[in-house]
Amino acid sequence: MCGIIGYVGTRDVVPVLIGGLKKLEYRGYDSAGIAVVDGNGVEVVRAEGKLSNLEVKLGDKPLKGTFGMGHTRWATHGKPNENNAHPHRDCTGNVVVIHNGIIENFLPLKQQLQKSGHEFRTETDTEVVAHLIEEKMKDGTKFVEAVKRTLKELEGHYALVMIDGSEPGTIVAAKHGPPLVVGLGEGENMIASDVAPLLAYTRNIIYLEDGEYVVINDKKVELFNREDEPLDRAPKRITWDAVAAEKEGYRHYMLKEIHEQPRAVRDTFTGRMFEESGEIFFNDLTITPDEWSKIQRVHVVACGTSWHAGLVGKFLLEDAARIPIEVDYGSEYRYRNPIVDETTLVIGVTQSGETADTIAGMQEAKAKGAKLITICNVLGAAATRMSDGVIYTNAGPEIGVASTKAFTTQLTAFYLLSLYIRSLRGEKDLRGAMHELGKLPHKIEHLLKQEKHIESLAHKYQKAQDFLFLGRGVHYPIALEGALKLKEISYIHAEGYPAGEMKHGPIALIDENLPVVAIATKTAVYEKVVSNLQEVKARDGKLIAICDEGDEAMKAFADDVIEVPSTIEALQPILTVIPTQLLAYYIALRRGCDVDQPRNLAKSVTVE
């Protein structure tokens, strides 16, 4: 939910912190703040709203130092204002804390500390951590030891970074749920919520696991488990290009990421399918035919856009595997006591690999004996570490809050997995299916040339108050995803529905003021979709059809069409979703909305 960065070294720390927070602002933008230790102790500057507001304040009150930390907030406890902005301090002002997550037992701890004379200044749960550390130090206990004792009293999910102005040069950080990664430099070390802020300084990364904490100074990094035992973990080498996380001339990250989809899809299948031999190969996933023969059902667990990818995956995997496939919201799965045993394969789908609800569902399944695999975009993320196998989507950093390339690469991963399962079941010739996937990046590039046409449609329909998205079969999830994108970034009410179900309710909404976006490519149910859309036109609905190139019949009765290149049915969703992404983007742009940072949303939801 929130973005965290800490630095100790020899550089001027403020540009490091602000630069890092800019890469983390997608995680929260209700408020922001930094703490810097200088010759006067700890100096804190905070601001309500976006990071730019903090930059203005720092212009009025410059800070200097080589040691500090910063935070960008997505509010959980307390209103999104300057007073509740992080960092938070104890009564002395020396102990400073930033936090991502929720301290579930903060209220009894706060009441206990108030009885001991501590004065609280905010509405947040985070402030209690600073005061608790202060309380532990009253008997002369040093800062690091006080933090260790404090951590044992905390309940909930948290990523914490803590410093003491009276002991400058030492950062202590702890993880129980939300992500934290350490960047190892020469004469400097850093910590952050993800790797993007670290890449300009180091490629050597250590991922913290739940229950671990780390003590960092400019010379060394010491890692410990919850029993305070030292750990020796080799760093991972990150190969991402730091420039990949920048806008590269695009007006918004979202638009850049939409245009990156040809490359992202290609990177997801490259090295995994070999058309000449007909072989599918995954580096981080191995299931033998014997292991597969024991799987009797598959559960897909995901949230939001990833859940929509899972719905498409259901169509692909059920056709390939011929066993029952269920798709569950992570937030519901863990609470319904799912029927899971060692004959169940559970697939967690999460762009970040840190989505709290998805991880909780995966943990529930693992505890019941299920085999676990993850479709994920982030190397070494929490979901991947708990799994028996991983399919990395190789989309590269996705900064825009509204997911685009992560979704299409998840669909690509599901398609590859369906081919892999077909091979496990003895299918010999998969080369035709591979060939179709191999042509897809070029087809996406061709489709993106319709951007100007889609922008013109956005101009035409920008004032609509409601939208209805319709699809059948494999395109029903795309209707859901198209509606979600429009809701997320334009704040227009939009609803996705199975086209065949329209007459069971939504048809009552249709009039001349309701735009209906229909995904209507040539599938097995194409004729039935056309029949459903005739019902829309009969009630004066404004019909925008996403159809195959050259579909003259659709052009004859739709108000507007967006043509997509033809491909096999299983791959059509990767193409048909892209016009919905562009339509949402340009409508939001026309309405003056903040495309990359829509209100009330965060990129990675790391608390329940």
Side-chain angles (χ1 to χ4, degrees), residues 79 125 136 142 177 217 225 269 299 337 387 437-438 444 456-458 465 483 500-501 510 515 531 551 592-593 597:
K79 297 175 182 178
D125 55 334
K136 305 296 183 192
K142 293 294 186 180
N217 59 37
N225 64 17
F269 68 68
H299 292 176
N337 193 22
S387 296
L437 179 56
I444 298 172
S456 71
L457 296 182
Q465 298 302 305
E501 289 293 300
I510 296 174
S531 176
D551 188 340
C593 300
Q597 297 172 349

Short mmCIF file of all heavy atoms in Angstrom, two decimals, residues 79 125 136 142 177 217 225 269 299 337 387 437-438 444 456-458 465 483 500-501 510 515 531 551 592-593 597:
data_model
loop_
_atom_site.label_atom_id
_atom_site.label_comp_id
_atom_site.label_asym_id
_atom_site.label_seq_id
_atom_site.Cartn_x
_atom_site.Cartn_y
_atom_site.Cartn_z
N LYS A 79 -6.91 9.88 8.64
CA LYS A 79 -7.19 10.58 7.39
C LYS A 79 -5.90 10.89 6.62
O LYS A 79 -4.84 11.02 7.22
CB LYS A 79 -7.93 11.89 7.70
CG LYS A 79 -9.29 11.68 8.35
CD LYS A 79 -9.92 13.00 8.74
CE LYS A 79 -11.26 12.78 9.43
NZ LYS A 79 -11.88 14.06 9.88
N ASP A 125 -1.76 3.94 13.24
CA ASP A 125 -1.27 2.80 14.00
C ASP A 125 0.25 2.80 14.06
O ASP A 125 0.85 2.26 14.99
CB ASP A 125 -1.77 1.49 13.40
CG ASP A 125 -1.42 1.34 11.92
OD1 ASP A 125 -1.25 2.36 11.24
OD2 ASP A 125 -1.34 0.19 11.45
N LYS A 136 11.16 1.06 25.43
CA LYS A 136 12.16 0.00 25.67
C LYS A 136 13.54 0.59 25.95
O LYS A 136 14.39 -0.07 26.56
CB LYS A 136 12.26 -0.92 24.45
CG LYS A 136 10.97 -1.54 23.96
CD LYS A 136 10.36 -2.46 24.97
CE LYS A 136 9.10 -3.11 24.40
NZ LYS A 136 8.30 -3.80 25.43
N LYS A 142 20.01 -0.11 24.17
CA LYS A 142 20.39 0.51 22.90
C LYS A 142 19.28 0.34 21.86
O LYS A 142 18.43 -0.54 21.96
CB LYS A 142 21.70 -0.09 22.39
CG LYS A 142 22.90 0.24 23.25
CD LYS A 142 23.21 1.74 23.21
CE LYS A 142 24.50 2.08 23.96
NZ LYS A 142 24.80 3.52 23.91
N GLY A 177 4.93 -9.67 6.06
CA GLY A 177 3.85 -9.48 5.10
C GLY A 177 4.29 -8.64 3.92
O GLY A 177 4.78 -9.17 2.92
N ASN A 217 24.12 -0.48 7.98
CA ASN A 217 24.87 0.77 8.01
C ASN A 217 25.62 0.90 6.69
O ASN A 217 25.38 0.11 5.76
CB ASN A 217 25.80 0.86 9.23
CG ASN A 217 26.82 -0.26 9.28
OD1 ASN A 217 27.35 -0.69 8.24
ND2 ASN A 217 27.12 -0.75 10.48
N ASN A 225 16.69 -13.81 11.73
CA ASN A 225 15.34 -14.37 11.74
C ASN A 225 14.61 -13.95 13.00
O ASN A 225 15.14 -13.21 13.83
CB ASN A 225 15.39 -15.90 11.57
CG ASN A 225 16.09 -16.60 12.73
OD1 ASN A 225 16.28 -16.04 13.82
ND2 ASN A 225 16.49 -17.84 12.50
N PHE A 269 7.01 -15.49 -23.95
CA PHE A 269 7.08 -16.82 -24.58
C PHE A 269 8.47 -17.17 -25.12
O PHE A 269 8.77 -18.34 -25.35
CB PHE A 269 6.02 -17.00 -25.66
CG PHE A 269 6.16 -16.17 -26.91
CD1 PHE A 269 7.20 -16.38 -27.81
CD2 PHE A 269 5.21 -15.20 -27.22
CE1 PHE A 269 7.31 -15.63 -28.97
CE2 PHE A 269 5.31 -14.45 -28.39
CZ PHE A 269 6.37 -14.67 -29.27
N HIS A 299 -7.39 -24.98 -8.86
CA HIS A 299 -7.96 -23.74 -8.34
C HIS A 299 -7.04 -22.58 -8.74
O HIS A 299 -5.83 -22.64 -8.50
CB HIS A 299 -8.09 -23.77 -6.82
CG HIS A 299 -9.09 -24.74 -6.32
ND1 HIS A 299 -9.30 -24.97 -4.97
CD2 HIS A 299 -9.97 -25.56 -6.96
CE1 HIS A 299 -10.24 -25.88 -4.80
NE2 HIS A 299 -10.65 -26.25 -6.01
N ASN A 337 -13.23 -22.20 3.46
CA ASN A 337 -12.79 -23.57 3.73
C ASN A 337 -12.82 -24.40 2.45
O ASN A 337 -13.57 -25.39 2.33
CB ASN A 337 -13.68 -24.22 4.79
CG ASN A 337 -13.09 -25.52 5.33
OD1 ASN A 337 -11.87 -25.73 5.23
ND2 ASN A 337 -13.92 -26.37 5.87
N SER A 387 6.07 -21.15 -3.56
CA SER A 387 5.49 -22.03 -4.57
C SER A 387 6.42 -23.16 -4.97
O SER A 387 7.64 -23.07 -4.83
CB SER A 387 5.11 -21.22 -5.81
OG SER A 387 4.11 -20.28 -5.50
N LEU A 437 0.95 -18.16 -31.52
CA LEU A 437 1.45 -17.27 -30.46
C LEU A 437 2.65 -16.48 -30.97
O LEU A 437 2.79 -15.28 -30.65
CB LEU A 437 1.83 -18.10 -29.23
CG LEU A 437 2.40 -17.31 -28.03
CD1 LEU A 437 1.44 -16.22 -27.58
CD2 LEU A 437 2.71 -18.26 -26.87
N GLY A 438 3.50 -17.09 -31.73
CA GLY A 438 4.67 -16.41 -32.25
C GLY A 438 4.33 -15.20 -33.12
O GLY A 438 5.09 -14.23 -33.18
N ILE A 444 -0.24 -7.36 -32.39
CA ILE A 444 -0.47 -6.29 -31.40
C ILE A 444 0.06 -4.97 -31.94
O ILE A 444 -0.59 -3.92 -31.81
CB ILE A 444 0.19 -6.65 -30.05
CG1 ILE A 444 -0.43 -7.92 -29.46
CG2 ILE A 444 0.04 -5.49 -29.06
CD1 ILE A 444 0.29 -8.44 -28.23
N SER A 456 -10.42 9.04 -31.05
CA SER A 456 -11.60 9.76 -31.56
C SER A 456 -12.89 9.23 -30.94
O SER A 456 -13.82 9.99 -30.67
CB SER A 456 -11.66 9.68 -33.08
OG SER A 456 -11.99 8.38 -33.52
N LEU A 457 -12.95 7.93 -30.70
CA LEU A 457 -14.13 7.35 -30.04
C LEU A 457 -14.21 7.84 -28.59
O LEU A 457 -15.32 8.07 -28.07
CB LEU A 457 -14.07 5.83 -30.07
CG LEU A 457 -14.13 5.17 -31.45
CD1 LEU A 457 -14.11 3.65 -31.32
CD2 LEU A 457 -15.37 5.61 -32.21
N ALA A 458 -13.07 7.99 -27.95
CA ALA A 458 -13.07 8.51 -26.58
C ALA A 458 -13.64 9.91 -26.54
O ALA A 458 -14.40 10.27 -25.63
CB ALA A 458 -11.64 8.50 -26.04
N GLN A 465 -22.24 8.67 -18.72
CA GLN A 465 -22.21 8.43 -17.28
C GLN A 465 -22.12 6.95 -16.93
O GLN A 465 -21.75 6.59 -15.81
CB GLN A 465 -23.46 9.03 -16.62
CG GLN A 465 -23.57 10.53 -16.76
CD GLN A 465 -22.36 11.25 -16.20
OE1 GLN A 465 -22.00 11.07 -15.03
NE2 GLN A 465 -21.72 12.07 -17.03
N ALA A 483 -14.50 -3.08 -18.39
CA ALA A 483 -15.29 -2.26 -17.46
C ALA A 483 -14.44 -1.80 -16.28
O ALA A 483 -14.54 -0.66 -15.83
CB ALA A 483 -16.51 -3.05 -16.98
N GLY A 500 -25.02 -13.11 -23.25
CA GLY A 500 -26.24 -13.92 -23.21
C GLY A 500 -27.10 -13.67 -22.00
O GLY A 500 -28.29 -14.02 -22.00
N GLU A 501 -26.53 -13.06 -20.97
CA GLU A 501 -27.28 -12.76 -19.75
C GLU A 501 -27.89 -11.36 -19.78
O GLU A 501 -28.63 -10.99 -18.87
CB GLU A 501 -26.35 -12.87 -18.53
CG GLU A 501 -25.96 -14.29 -18.17
CD GLU A 501 -27.15 -15.10 -17.68
OE1 GLU A 501 -27.76 -14.71 -16.67
OE2 GLU A 501 -27.48 -16.10 -18.33
N ILE A 510 -30.64 -0.17 -21.17
CA ILE A 510 -30.23 0.26 -22.51
C ILE A 510 -31.19 1.30 -23.08
O ILE A 510 -32.40 1.09 -23.16
CB ILE A 510 -30.12 -0.95 -23.46
CG1 ILE A 510 -29.00 -1.88 -22.96
CG2 ILE A 510 -29.83 -0.50 -24.89
CD1 ILE A 510 -28.89 -3.17 -23.72
N PRO A 515 -23.62 3.77 -23.93
CA PRO A 515 -22.68 3.10 -24.83
C PRO A 515 -22.49 1.64 -24.39
O PRO A 515 -22.31 1.36 -23.20
CB PRO A 515 -21.39 3.89 -24.67
CG PRO A 515 -21.77 5.16 -23.98
CD PRO A 515 -22.96 4.83 -23.15
N SER A 531 -26.71 -11.85 -32.31
CA SER A 531 -28.13 -11.80 -31.93
C SER A 531 -28.33 -10.94 -30.69
O SER A 531 -29.27 -10.13 -30.63
CB SER A 531 -28.65 -13.22 -31.69
OG SER A 531 -29.99 -13.19 -31.25
N ASP A 551 -14.92 -7.59 -40.90
CA ASP A 551 -16.26 -8.10 -40.56
C ASP A 551 -17.30 -7.08 -41.04
O ASP A 551 -17.72 -6.18 -40.29
CB ASP A 551 -16.37 -8.32 -39.05
CG ASP A 551 -17.66 -9.02 -38.64
OD1 ASP A 551 -18.62 -9.00 -39.44
OD2 ASP A 551 -17.71 -9.58 -37.53
N GLY A 592 -9.87 14.67 -17.76
CA GLY A 592 -8.94 15.33 -16.85
C GLY A 592 -8.57 14.51 -15.64
O GLY A 592 -8.16 15.07 -14.61
N CYS A 593 -8.66 13.18 -15.74
CA CYS A 593 -8.37 12.32 -14.60
C CYS A 593 -6.87 12.01 -14.53
O CYS A 593 -6.15 12.12 -15.52
CB CYS A 593 -9.15 11.01 -14.71
SG CYS A 593 -10.94 11.24 -14.75
N GLN A 597 -2.27 7.50 -11.49
CA GLN A 597 -2.51 7.40 -10.05
C GLN A 597 -3.97 7.71 -9.73
O GLN A 597 -4.29 8.73 -9.11
CB GLN A 597 -1.56 8.35 -9.30
CG GLN A 597 -0.10 7.98 -9.50
CD GLN A 597 0.84 9.02 -8.93
OE1 GLN A 597 0.43 10.11 -8.55
NE2 GLN A 597 2.11 8.68 -8.87
#
